Amino acid sequence: MHRRIEDLAGLVARVLTTRRATIALAEPLEQEDWVAQSMPDASPVKWHLAHTTWFFERFVLGALGFEPVDPRNDYLFNSYYESVGKRVERAKRGLLTRPTAREVLAYRRTIDERLAALEGSPRLAEVGAALELGLHHEEQHQELLLTDVKHLLSENPLAPAYRRGHSPAPRPAPQLAWRDFAGGVAEIGHRGSAFSFDNERPRHKVYLAPFRIATRLVTAGEYRAFVASGGYRKPELWLSEGWAWIQAGAHAAPLYWRDGMHFTLDGERAIDDAEPVTHVTYYEADAFARWAGARLPTEAEWEHAAADATPGGFVEDGHLHPRVAAEGFTQMLGDAWEWTASAYAPYPGFAPLEGAFGEYNGKFMVSQMVLRGGSCATPRGHARTTYRNFFPPSAAWQFSGIRLAKDGA
Amino acid sequence: MHRRIEDLAGLVARVLTTRRATIALAEPLEQEDWVAQSMPDASPVKWHLAHTTWFFERFVLGALGFEPVDPRNDYLFNSYYESVGKRVERAKRGLLTRPTAREVLAYRRTIDERLAALEGSPRLAEVGAALELGLHHEEQHQELLLTDVKHLLSENPLAPAYRRGHSPAPRPAPQLAWRDFAGGVAEIGHRGSAFSFDNERPRHKVYLAPFRIATRLVTAGEYRAFVASGGYRKPELWLSEGWAWIQAGAHAAPLYWRDGMHFTLDGERAIDDAEPVTHVTYYEADAFARWAGARLPTEAEWEHAAADATPGGFVEDGHLHPRVAAEGFTQMLGDAWEWTASAYAPYPGFAPLEGAFGEYNGKFMVSQMVLRGGSCATPRGHARTTYRNFFPPSAAWQFSGIRLAKDGA
Amino acid sequence: MHRRIEDLAGLVARVLTTRRATIALAEPLEQEDWVAQSMPDASPVKWHLAHTTWFFERFVLGALGFEPVDPRNDYLFNSYYESVGKRVERAKRGLLTRPTAREVLAYRRTIDERLAALEGSPRLAEVGAALELGLHHEEQHQELLLTDVKHLLSENPLAPAYRRGHSPAPRPAPQLAWRDFAGGVAEIGHRGSAFSFDNERPRHKVYLAPFRIATRLVTAGEYRAFVASGGYRKPELWLSEGWAWIQAGAHAAPLYWRDGMHFTLDGERAIDDAEPVTHVTYYEADAFARWAGARLPTEAEWEHAAADATPGGFVEDGHLHPRVAAEGFTQMLGDAWEWTASAYAPYPGFAPLEGAFGEYNGKFMVSQMVLRGGSCATPRGHARTTYRNFFPPSAAWQFSGIRLAKDGA
Amino acid sequence: MHRRIEDLAGLVARVLTTRRATIALAEPLEQEDWVAQSMPDASPVKWHLAHTTWFFERFVLGALGFEPVDPRNDYLFNSYYESVGKRVERAKRGLLTRPTAREVLAYRRTIDERLAALEGSPRLAEVGAALELGLHHEEQHQELLLTDVKHLLSENPLAPAYRRGHSPAPRPAPQLAWRDFAGGVAEIGHRGSAFSFDNERPRHKVYLAPFRIATRLVTAGEYRAFVASGGYRKPELWLSEGWAWIQAGAHAAPLYWRDGMHFTLDGERAIDDAEPVTHVTYYEADAFARWAGARLPTEAEWEHAAADATPGGFVEDGHLHPRVAAEGFTQMLGDAWEWTASAYAPYPGFAPLEGAFGEYNGKFMVSQMVLRGGSCATPRGHARTTYRNFFPPSAAWQFSGIRLAKDGA
């Protein structure tokens, strides 16, 4: 990657601050929780801590000629970079009881010290772009660490909490309203020199038909009405693949709803009807929208509309689920990832980064749907309106929610 | 479905002609070939013959109050209409040794007689749209009958031919050239009152960046060069899901190439380098394009470009593979289904048909890619430039080929 | 195989008679029924007709230097002889639409003519043993043809009958009684020069504790009582593997009982309480016995007891289920295969036949249970008291039933 | 269970000593190693520690009316007792990050204190048999803990050692010789009032043909010769199911041999040709025997012969693989579990224990083979010549080896 970023000042310090925040996220857990892997899609906490460290070692320090701390780390902690070489099978990350947590933390410290020593180095500019990518990569894994841990704890019959938080006083959600957009030729995609992933570029024109978009996310209460109306038993509401998913898994509610309770990072609690519904698959989001006489927005509609929204979201520490919506056109950033009707595909003129970084986003552009907006588990400052998250339609372990749209006049 | 079609004259006759053509396609086969099912995606010939008949019985004659020939046919020959009810599991259609071929042919005759009797009926207009849909449905199954049989015969160690054809004299393919389009706001989608499927509507505006599109399909010779260059062993050329598909299946060539030979409906023969390559998955089409320094066109680009192309394709009886390209901008219709870079999704303003017909297309709009153009197995007159075919990215048993595109100036 | 059999007189004629009987079994079926394969364990009728023919061609005519009719038949119709070479995957026999039925029948005729010409040949003695094995092999496939067809027809929602028979007048089963045996050193296994399979030899001593054995098979009525008592919902009655089999398949009755009806080769009919229960797995036989306060006999107990039994069984043409028991110690031969408590293992001193015939029985001696007695589908004369049939404990598509035993005084 | 055991003196003390030994086995490991589960058949160390504790709590203390420490432990730590109720799915034991190791150790201490307090209690006799069973159960899990950890560590690309031991000086294995037995009526099975599992009883007569049995186990060097001779590529040497196992898994050597090295609890080291081969499946043991012109002994032969053998085996701490054989008829106890040719089945007159303990052994009596002799990982004093271990034929993660036998004169 040869992009030279303009502003190196403070970059190393921001990297180190971000990396300390990762450790802080792991601390409320028991040591045992760091090891286990609850499904192939999720990784152990310890692996997240090691992999993000390896990312800096391999792509920043490696580019500067540092000897690796242990050459076997390429095999242990490479996620999916074919250009780097072979690696531990994804589904077997939970078997890596060694290196131990203590060793992984020592590895982090060593790499952090080497990164700290780059401050003021004449060679910093050479790796500025990789450092910056590493920072955003670290932030992505902060969110994954939380959602992967949530999945792990949810599998435990004891339903342990990640961390007990202080819940805000309950309040009702505002009435759902619609925001109208006239459409026409619009522009989406990232512009300017600030950081973005390659998949957000280039900024380009799209043509939008008139559309309406809901002013807030669908609430748990609204979703409960869908469930209560027999939504999961009516094939006419579902995509064919979604209906097959229901049959195969006997699904009848979102992932973490069970017996009328909601498993959260705070432990099990009653479902709060005013909160946004989260942890739904694309199939569920799509079926709910059809039931509601609406549809999901495309990612272009979403991004176009986002310019008008009140900056929102991003719950504070200690409250690890999305907040009840405020009045106005809101919840577009930092509440729940919003399934869009758009499959994940390259933008016109898309060019992946060179080298291994070209594998970061581009090679996943099939069989996945785009989600927008960032969730309550997304680090503040990480999300932006051009950000394109993507998951297969059956994924539900992220804080994925629903915003409705309709064709306009 | 309440659309009243304008021109009923000759519709019944066209239906009956089309249905005779279906039988003609089954005739070169042995009786045994009518029964077997080689994979869940493919259906037995006998099932195609019965299902298309049931479609007319259920949706045309049923709407007019006819008693069913046998009420159990709803269970036996319903494909995927949830609103009609339960049905034989897709993967078990090959176990339906009864009703026998003789009985299925008798069923066809009975229904054809009832359809023939509609000519001149005052109630014809009520079912005109259903009759017309049934006609196009029958044509779709004609193509599937051929591709399903091809798959079945390919599984036989004896490699039997469907029908020995007369091959044209070999000739080279013209040089690949590029056709430039300036882009801007364009319109795609079906317009006018002639028949189309619901997924082709409504006609709507899109914004296209400048692009170039290849004047002909990729040839088998070009694809052989990709294979010979080690294309199937280089992960950097593949989508991540495609690379996993290679590993899981040890794939190293298109579906019907084996040991340097090409299994065709004509039996095994040498690979003709000048012919379009066919029976590739989306993964292979995408990887080839990347190797060639190009990409696949979006469906909007394809449809926009198609207006300029020479009407082509549709090989005559007795030659059941795509012909070598002529000079010019060609092979856009009737040669091979062309994988596009577009996931199958609703057009802005899409409204599925009412009732069971609403299940025809709309419920498949996830996890599939759009193919355009029609193949050598598509009935002449069935394909059109707005036609949207769709298959999962791993499907290869259709005559699916590759047309390259590039970003324009 | 070098065993010279003593009595060649009439052997060729018996082979040909037996082979005509195979064809007669296929005749009540429709042509379509000859093609399909309903599960990997079952083979198509057409394949049975071809494989048994190939067996004679390969092992009898081949040993005499005949050119093969078509060398590809080794690949198409070899069942499991590794020493002969590669073959069509077992689960794909239903895809062999070619050779056609007509061609397979022609193949049979050609081989039958060559076999007929052996009569009086000076070289007949060389292949006498192979001819005799082929005859018994043909008889085994006669039974498999019936049970495989039964399974295929049972998968058809139309529940077609193989052949309508004339049912005897219903009558009650006699009271179940017990026959006592004192045990001690006994001999089992085949003796003498008459034909037996290698797995029945050598005759050898066993030590038997005193035991009792039931005078007849368990009836459908007795089994219904087990079902009605909640037998399939009580884990304490089941082997652990059997309980897992119930959970995985939601089993609640024998294979062909559904909605209170019994699917038979005669079509669906009411369950006859007096008939022996058939089509049970080993798990079910074992659980029933536990529920009844009994156990299954070992194969040594069974064979020892069989000497005392009235020769019985073997229903006549046109009645294709086991008959109601007569009074006395009966139903030991020709009614239902009786699951024994013995795993299939070599007898002390067992020596498999030489060459390919060594694969006939010996290589299956793990993970299977022995069944004794022959069923109503076994050709008369094929079963004998030393005969060892074997199937995995989950198999139920044979006419497998239950005889109870108990420890003696 | 109502059996009153005769000698209660010292029983509680022996239980507590045994339980301390379990902890000692877990101590060389890192905390992380306690959590992970490498396959459904293996359990995490922490789970072993908790399950064995639960066994005493549930069946000893529970019978005396103690309140459970936490009623949820029945769900968490029940292994397979259907009569106790539902439980965590076997394959998900590695997801039980809670209770933590610290909590599980506290649970052990609590239960150990309650058990200690039984000393001198007037009610001790009531639970004597359960206590004794618990002790032997604890010993079984000591061995499983080691073999499960070995499997886990073997999955780690770093190939970590469980514990570095002091290897004895290498020495050659003695020549393999044969021991002859005349056969006839013999007795096997446990006799007397000392502890045995229910499956070892009752002692009963068997008839043995004359046989010979090898004086020591097959060595790694002998097995290497089998491998080098192409043993894994010759179907004629294998049971059909074993050959399928080779194809499905591309097996070419015993479980822990890779690239000429042997993964042991001591880490990777060169294969010691003189050591017994271990970690073979039944398929491999059977194929090796056939290659060697021999066979496996039946369990009756083995037990009959064992009376003549020198008491051997049971390596000392710090040497965790079987020792090289001494001269004489040896290695019958405490070296490697020896696959027998006998399927696991009830002895004549077998009666399972009453209540939940009846599930301990009896319900597994299908689809498994008996192994005899105990291994280097078996606690000294746990094995005995009547002991019947059992595993499916594909299991290799125990220290399973091979002793040859032959028919006698």
Side-chain angles (χ1 to χ4, degrees), chain C residues 120-267:
Chain C
S121 156
R123 300 192 60 190
L124 181 58
E126 289 174 46
V127 293
L131 258 180
E132 192 181 45
L133 183 61
L135 186 155
H136 291 269
H137 175 258
E138 184 96 15
E139 288 179 331
Q140 289 182 311
H141 279 276
Q142 288 172 2
E143 177 156 10
L144 291 172
L145 187 155
L146 285 174
T147 53
D148 292 357
V149 155
K150 183 170 182 177
H151 190 265
L152 171 64
L153 297 178
S154 82
E155 286 279 353
N156 195 310
L158 304 175
Y162 162 70
R163 191 174 57 193
R164 293 290 170 190
H166 37 86
S167 297
R171 57 184 175 91
Q175 197 66 28
L176 187 143
W178 299 92
R179 187 88 174 189
D180 285 280
F181 292 88
V185 173
E187 284 199 355
I188 66 166
H190 196 265
R191 93 177 114 194
S193 61
F195 177 82
S196 78
F197 289 111
D198 55 3
N199 63 7
E200 301 170 54
R201 294 189 300 261
R203 190 161 176 87
H204 62 283
K205 290 194 172 67
V206 294
Y207 188 90
L208 299 175
F211 68 99
R212 330 182 66 186
I213 200 163
T215 51
R216 61 158 171 77
L217 296 173
V218 169
T219 64
E222 288 159 351
Y223 200 87
R224 284 226 285 197
F226 165 66
V227 175
S229 78
Y232 283 79
R233 298 189 304 274
K234 296 181 177 167
E236 63 270 24
L237 296 173
W238 295 80
L239 290 165
S240 178
E241 191 173 286
W243 187 244
W245 168 83
I246 287 182
Q247 310 304 308
H251 295 286
L255 177 58
Y256 294 131
W257 288 7
R258 35 195 199 198
D259 302 327
M261 297 294 281
H262 184 189
F263 178 78
T264 74
L265 284 166
D266 225 351

Side-chain angles (χ1 to χ4, degrees), chain B residues 30 32-33 35-38 72 75-76 88 92 94-102 152 155-158 160, chain C residues 30 32-33 35-38 72 75-76 88 92 94-102 152 155-158 160:
Chain B
E30 297 287 348
E32 286 85 346
D33 303 322
V35 181
Q37 177 176 35
S38 57
R72 299 176 300 181
Y75 188 83
L76 295 172
V88 168
K92 294 194 164 185
L95 305 187
L96 295 174
T97 58
R98 321 284 180 95
T100 63
R102 202 175 50 249
L152 172 63
E155 286 279 352
N156 195 310
L158 304 175
Chain C
E30 297 288 347
E32 286 85 346
D33 303 322
V35 181
Q37 177 175 35
S38 58
R72 297 176 301 183
Y75 188 83
L76 295 171
V88 168
K92 294 194 165 186
L95 305 189
L96 294 175
T97 58
R98 321 284 179 96
T100 62
R102 201 174 52 247
L152 171 64
E155 286 279 353
N156 195 310
L158 304 175

Side-chain angles (χ1 to χ4, degrees), chain B residues 48 54 124 156 231 235 246 271 273 296 300 312 338 390 403:
Chain B
H48 284 298
W54 169 84
L124 180 58
N156 195 310
I246 287 182
I271 296 168
D273 277 353
L296 302 177
E338 308 181 18
F390 50 90
R403 183 180 301 270

